[in-house]
Amino acid sequence: MSLHLELLNPEQLAAVTLPDEHALILAGAGSGKTRVLTTRIAWLVKSGRITPANILAVTFTNKAAREMLIRVTSMLPANPRGLWIGTFHGLCNRMLRAHHRDAGLPQAFQILDSQDQLAAVKRLARSMNVDEDRFSPRDIQYFINGNKEEGVRAGDVPIADENTKRLAELYAAYDEQCQREGVVDFPEMLLRSYELLKRNEILRAHYGQRFRHVLIDEFQDTNRLQYRWLKLFRTKESCFFAVGDDDQSIYTFRGANVGNMAEFEREFAIKRVVRLEQNYRSHGNILDAANALIANNRNRLGKNLWTSTGAGELVRVFEGESDMDEARWLVEEVRSLSRDGTSLSNMAVLYRSNAQSRVLEHALFSQGISYRVYGGLRFFERAEIKHALAYLRLVAQPDDDNSFLRVANFPPRGLGARTIEQLQDTAKKNQASLFKVAEGKSAVFKKLIEDLQTETRGLPLAEIVGIVVEKSGLKEHYKTEREGADRIENLDELVNAAATFNDDSREVESGEEVDPLTAFLTHAALEAGEHQAGEGADALQLMTVHSAKGLEFDVVFLSGLEEGLFPHEQSANERDGLEEERRLAYVAITRARNRLYLSHAQTRMLHGQTRYNIPSRFLEEIPQNLMKWLTPRFSKQKAFTPDFSRQTVSSLPKKSQAREVGGWRVGQNVVHPKFGSGVIIDAEGHGNDARVQVNFGAAGVKWLAVAMAKLQAA
DNA sequence: TACTTTGTCCTTTTT
DNA sequence: GGACAAAGTA
């Protein structure tokens, strides 16, 4: 019930109690960002000058939004009404449902997730005879979303060449298709909502007046459209409070624009940028390592984290001979920490890409250590759940062709590709949905949907879902399948989820209430990740660095620190790709409270091939005096230079058979007088002709004649 | 029409 | 190694 302002440090207090003016808060990792944001909201309300309804707080994830809501409400005496805290998409959804007519949408519009969108694009591409070699559905989807996120409609795409012209046509056709079917994809939600407010002066004035205080979390992750959307709420009286950390910007690959921070500073004439640099999370050595690493980035607003807790332990570094070796060591380490009293859920293993989890899982499983992998297949994304949702969507909105195609012949009911094709032709001719033109063979399916509609009308949500799961034949179908038991369990779980579902966003302010089924389907699309199993159990946490953002652990293992993996090889082709990789490493390191492990392996199975990787440059960028090697090997490789501008990683060519020539073995570490240290990645010939291919990192990859080159074993 | 086998492609991810 | 889609077979 209290704000506990006395517990804030001077900078935090300054941020919380800023007068009514625009503000930019540079909040470093672990600096109490969420606390400042939530206390600010509570402080504003308690001041009595405004009500909760005057506040708009925007976050990126549902998790962050929920956390914020909980913390704010705990600081206020009564449950605040009219307080808008949510994700960009959640808030846009709320607005679009409330003003669906003005936005040109049916009230029960359905939301396409990325998968659904891709399916819709594929279907469109086929109906328009697109050469998939020239334009893959992925590319088209990327083009559409990229433009939408810049606020550019199909008609406004600048036509530079034939390709763009064609893509713009497809974009236009795609939007028409969505409109016809009453569906909206993720970027469309933002753009629609943006256009709605932009065009409708009355609405804009209404919301602008209402939201006197606009607070934005993770501002560095906003894209251009999101920023423009936010600016629509700006009035003479309004105050914007943006919190962000440019060093933690790790989503530029999907359109986030860090430049928004500088833009905001300029456009809102920010007088004072408040820097939160005191870190309450990590020990000194860990923090120093993070600071040293990020100092290698040139594009920064500048910030240096410090802590008043001691230096703590050194950062531990391990080199494995192979990924399996690395995993075995890691499991042993986890086991002994666990024995010494650190709970498993307080330890996390982080990696750059999901593919790396497999080896770890294998090792953990065989040693009987419980673990939990984040970011795998989410509940609402499972095939059987998607199928059930498709039936439900058709009940709510039969013109949804995406859903129609998904389940028209699932479970199989004799509607083959031919029948569907004919149906699609008729639909195209009549500019109507598949459902409307279904006849003959497909009439049976149409009848099924219609029966479901009449049968479920007016029933409670859980019963609707139960009936649909049963009568669609899904359950029956999975009974005959070998691994169907899990799927049936999931379908039951879906009914459960429906039973416990209560939606607070249905409390609308403009009269019309959204029907429960649509609300549930919206929840499934927008909050797909919220429904996760095994949340409570004590288990080791496995996740990518990306999904670790915002979290913290006593012990963090950062594994696979190898050139090509982390930094990822693809990042070399992107503008400022390496800097983003470095920020990613920075995020990873700053997750650790007490102990940090960094590890890498000499060989690793990737894409079914063994790769020989050299240690990541990030290991070189951390001052040696902060680290403690658990294996001697790495410390021997003195010839490292910090410059790895050229090719640094290679995989073993497919056809290579020779593993060993003249005493040199593939995978072996070597030192060359001129090129420094490297690793043998291939070998061929024998005797005097024997040659080895060596990856020297900075000096590149070279073929060397064994007889000539003065190679030394490292 | 429906199931089985082969060929291609591999980041990161929330909404 | 593995997911997913297109081609192949009963």
Side-chain angles (χ1 to χ4, degrees):
Chain A
M1 281 277 279
S2 168
L3 301 190
H4 288 298
L5 294 180
E6 74 282 0
L7 294 179
L8 300 174
N9 69 35
E11 292 75 29
Q12 290 176 330
L13 186 66
V16 165
T17 58
L18 274 176
D20 283 359
E21 61 181 40
H22 303 306
L24 176 62
I25 316 297
L26 262 184
S31 65
K33 173 197 70 164
T34 310
R35 172 172 225 170
V36 165
L37 214 36
T38 50
T39 315
R40 166 82 176 168
I41 294 174
W43 183 81
L44 284 169
V45 173
K46 280 210 167 169
S47 75
R49 283 170 301 162
I50 59 159
T51 72
N54 294 129
I55 287 172
L56 177 68
V58 194
T59 66
F60 267 84
T61 66
N62 293 302
K63 203 170 147 199
R66 199 162 2 99
E67 164 96 13
M68 206 185 276
L69 189 63
I70 290 170
R71 284 165 74 162
V72 168
T73 47
S74 78
M75 284 187 271
L76 294 174
N79 221 11
R81 282 190 64 81
L83 176 68
W84 276 39
I85 293 185
T87 63
F88 279 101
H89 292 85
L91 297 167
C92 287
N93 176 63
R94 209 159 162 175
M95 223 167 251
L96 290 175
R97 299 272 180 210
H99 312 288
H100 69 271
R101 261 184 228 99
D102 291 324
L105 289 169
Q107 199 199 6
F109 70 83
Q110 299 297 313
I111 297 165
L112 300 185
D113 66 19
S114 316
Q115 264 183 58
D116 299 332
Q117 188 190 24
L118 188 62
V121 169
K122 249 179 223 169
R123 181 155 54 84
L124 178 87
R126 249 162 239 171
S127 84
M128 289 181 70
N129 296 317
V130 174
D131 176 6
E132 292 206 3
D133 291 331
R134 232 153 73 83
F135 305 104
S136 75
R138 275 228 102 85
D139 291 344
I140 301 169
Q141 182 185 28
Y142 187 80
F143 178 86
I144 292 171
N145 289 351
N147 276 296
K148 284 189 179 182
E149 277 160 10
E150 294 286 325
V152 180
R153 284 289 180 194
D156 305 321
V157 173
I159 307 297
D161 49 40
E162 280 302 304
N163 271 8
T164 356
K165 193 174 160 227
R166 183 71 175 141
L167 284 167
E169 279 169 25
L170 291 166
Y171 178 8
Y174 166 80
D175 269 0
E176 272 169 39
Q177 176 180 289
C178 290
Q179 188 62 31
R180 204 165 47 235
E181 297 175 14
V183 296
V184 171
D185 59 48
F186 285 139
E188 180 73 24
M189 296 183 77
L190 250 309
L191 186 50
R192 255 320 151 100
S193 166
Y194 170 79
E195 288 169 347
L196 170 71
L197 291 171
K198 179 102 190 168
R199 289 199 194 117
N200 194 323
E201 213 159 305
I202 298 168
L203 272 184
R204 192 170 70 241
H206 165 73
Y207 282 112
Q209 231 157 44
R210 175 180 165 169
F211 297 132
R212 295 280 303 283
H213 287 269
V214 177
L215 301 95
I216 314 117
D217 189 20
E218 306 276 16
F219 191 63
Q220 77 282 354
D221 285 338
T222 51
N223 65 33
R224 286 204 163 74
L225 180 59
Q226 285 161 339
Y227 181 43
R228 282 167 64 184
W229 182 84
L230 287 165
K231 282 195 287 188
L232 290 175
F233 300 107
R234 185 180 185 182
T235 66
K236 281 207 172 69
E237 284 79 38
S238 61
C239 302
F240 278 58
F241 189 88
V243 181
D245 179 3
D246 54 320
D247 289 334
Q248 290 189 74
S249 158
I250 55 175
Y251 284 111
T252 62
F253 75 91
R254 64 168 199 224
N257 177 32
V258 208
N260 283 348
M261 295 183 80
E263 195 102 316
F264 176 74
E265 208 179 332
R266 194 171 53 78
E267 291 184 339
F268 284 75
I270 302 298
K271 290 186 216 105
R272 189 161 67 109
V273 177
V274 180
R275 283 186 160 73
L276 304 181
E277 296 177 301
Q278 182 171 3
N279 175 295
Y280 294 94
R281 183 186 295 152
S282 311
H283 278 139
N285 286 337
I286 294 170
L287 221 47
D288 288 348
N291 280 334
L293 181 80
I294 201 68
N296 288 284
N297 273 3
R298 286 181 300 123
N299 300 320
R300 295 182 68 208
L301 295 177
K303 189 167 36 51
N304 218 30
L305 293 181
W306 61 277
T307 177
S308 61
T309 57
E313 300 174 344
L314 291 173
V315 177
R316 290 154 202 245
V317 188
F318 177 85
E319 177 182 76
E321 281 173 30
S322 66
D323 46 354
M324 274 141 77
D325 189 32
E326 180 191 30
R328 271 193 297 268
W329 158 77
L330 204 147
V331 169
E332 260 327 296
E333 208 68 27
V334 166
R335 194 206 292 286
S336 89
L337 282 165
S338 163
R339 260 198 305 261
D340 294 347
T342 308
S343 72
L344 287 172
S345 55
N346 260 326
M347 296 187 247
V349 184
L350 310 183
Y351 35 78
R352 173 68 239 265
S353 59
N354 282 309
Q356 288 167 250
S357 77
R358 270 196 50 255
V359 196
L360 295 163
E361 287 184 68
H362 184 83
L364 288 162
F365 186 81
S366 68
Q367 294 300 307
I369 293 177
S370 51
Y371 63 91
R372 178 168 176 224
V373 187
Y374 282 75
L377 193 55
R378 293 204 278 276
F379 180 74
F380 285 109
E381 285 169 3
R382 289 169 192 282
E384 64 274 18
I385 299 302
K386 279 273 187 186
H387 283 131
L389 291 175
Y391 279 101
L392 289 165
R393 283 179 175 209
L394 287 171
V395 168
Q397 251 269 118
D399 293 336
D400 179 351
D401 285 0
N402 245 7
S403 300
F404 188 100
L405 289 167
R406 178 180 269 273
V407 290
N409 196 35
F410 194 92
R413 47 175 73 87
L415 287 181
R418 274 298 255 300
T419 324
I420 296 291
E421 235 167 77
Q422 281 166 6
L423 203 59
Q424 282 181 297
D425 283 346
T426 329
K428 201 176 174 188
K429 234 176 273 157
N430 298 316
Q431 284 288 300
S433 68
L434 294 168
F435 183 83
K436 284 208 180 81
V437 300
E439 54 176 18
K441 266 182 165 177
S442 49
V444 183
F445 179 65
K446 183 176 184 173
K447 181 83 176 19
L448 171 64
I449 299 300
E450 284 169 342
D451 287 350
L452 287 172
Q453 285 177 323
T454 42
E455 201 174 334
T456 58
R457 189 156 297 139
L459 292 182
L461 181 61
E463 278 182 50
I464 298 179
V465 179
I467 289 171
V468 167
V469 163
E470 209 64 60
K471 300 259 160 104
S472 61
L474 282 174
K475 239 179 163 171
E476 193 57 35
H477 172 81
Y478 286 124
K479 271 184 196 155
T480 61
E481 217 177 52
R482 268 172 313 215
E483 285 146 42
D486 284 353
R487 296 186 187 274
I488 290 176
E489 222 170 89
N490 285 330
L491 289 173
D492 290 338
E493 184 58 31
L494 182 68
V495 181
N496 253 344
T500 55
F501 176 71
N502 66 340
D503 183 33
D504 28 14
S505 70
R506 285 177 62 222
E507 159 215 333
V508 265
E509 286 137 63
S510 67
E512 276 178 280
E513 192 162 294
V514 180
D515 76 280
L517 180 55
T518 299
F520 182 64
L521 291 168
T522 300
H523 162 80
L526 247 35
E527 288 161 56
E530 300 306 290
H531 198 95
Q532 293 229 359
E535 212 136 87
D538 182 41
L540 179 67
Q541 313 283 301
L542 266 64
M543 66 191 87
T544 62
V545 181
H546 280 95
S547 35
K549 185 157 140 204
L551 305 177
E552 57 180 81
F553 307 92
D554 283 342
V555 179
V556 168
F557 292 86
L558 179 53
S559 69
L561 272 167
E562 293 140 41
E563 284 294 304
L565 251 187
F566 201 176
H568 200 279
E569 53 199 342
Q570 306 242 19
S571 70
N573 308 321
E574 283 158 22
R575 201 159 48 85
D576 298 328
L578 183 62
E579 297 220 340
E580 177 138 325
E581 294 289 311
R582 197 175 277 116
R583 289 193 294 270
L584 204 45
Y586 175 79
V587 167
I589 291 172
T590 52
R591 297 310 96 195
R593 284 193 282 251
N594 308 329
R595 183 180 286 195
L596 173 67
Y597 291 93
L598 307 174
S599 66
H600 70 104
Q602 295 175 350
T603 71
R604 183 177 296 277
M605 282 292 278
L606 203 65
H607 309 323
Q609 281 182 321
T610 306
R611 291 169 48 129
Y612 298 89
N613 294 331
I614 57 174
S616 170
R617 71 194 71 190
F618 298 150
L619 284 168
E620 288 301 302
E621 293 174 358
I622 297 171
Q624 313 285 313
N625 62 341
L626 300 176
M627 308 205 279
K628 171 184 171 187
W629 281 276
L630 305 173
T631 38
R633 202 167 296 231
F634 179 20
S635 51
K636 273 191 203 159
Q637 299 185 344
K638 285 284 190 305
F640 259 99
T641 50
D643 176 21
F644 291 91
S645 48
R646 270 183 284 170
Q647 185 187 2
T648 50
V649 169
S650 290
S651 55
L652 185 65
K654 272 179 200 146
K655 280 176 197 136
S656 159
Q657 273 111 32
R659 303 245 132 203
E660 203 171 49
V661 291
W664 300 98
R665 151 184 77 75
V666 169
Q668 188 174 0
N669 288 305
V670 292
V671 178
H672 186 274
K674 194 162 144 214
F675 304 131
S677 77
V679 57
I680 299 180
I681 57 175
D682 200 4
E684 63 172 34
H686 26 237
N688 272 347
D689 294 331
R691 301 198 312 145
V692 289
Q693 192 182 26
V694 185
N695 184 346
F696 288 109
V701 178
K702 310 246 188 267
W703 273 106
L704 302 169
V706 171
M708 305 289 291
K710 298 179 187 79
L711 279 181
Q712 266 191 307

